Amino acid sequence: HANVVVVADGLLRGGVAGEGVDSPATAAHHAHTADHAGVPLEQTVAIGDGANDLAMLAAAGLGIAFNAKPVVAEAADTAVNVPYLDAVLFLLGIRRTEVEEVPGADGPPI
């Protein structure tokens, strides 16, 4: 669920195609996904980096700013400022060995 950048003649044109994904849309998609999975919103984790993620981070049980802009890092419950998302697994108490045991998890690190 993301914005689709306009590309014409092989060049980025600086626009967004279709309906843009703003802060309310991001939060609504997060809530819909939680509901579809049968998970209460207060038991979800959301990760974001920009202002369009603020509502989603606020609605989640745990909002994590990932290499985020300062305003997002200040608004989130916690911030991670390292290059890889697998640091979030550590925050959640999930060990790398547990991830590797999941079927289909034999790809590159997150």
Side-chain angles (χ1 to χ4, degrees):
H1 189 70
N3 288 318
V4 177
V5 179
V6 175
V7 178
D9 301 321
L11 300 172
L12 296 175
R13 296 299 179 181
V16 175
E19 200 172 315
V21 180
D22 58 7
S23 189
T26 304
H29 182 72
H30 181 77
H32 172 77
T33 302
D35 184 58
H36 181 74
V39 177
L41 205 51
E42 57 273 3
Q43 291 183 8
T44 64
V45 177
I47 303 171
D49 67 344
N52 64 318
D53 299 316
L54 287 170
M56 173 184 68
L57 295 173
L62 176 63
I64 301 173
F66 180 71
N67 293 324
K69 294 172 177 54
V71 68
V72 178
E74 290 175 23
D77 297 311
T78 192
V80 173
N81 294 305
V82 296
Y84 303 105
L85 277 170
D86 58 356
V88 173
L89 298 174
F90 178 78
L91 283 175
L92 300 175
I94 301 169
R95 295 187 304 260
R96 185 74 198 159
T97 55
E98 293 174 289
V99 174
E100 292 167 352
E101 293 170 1
V102 175
D106 54 353
I110 298 172

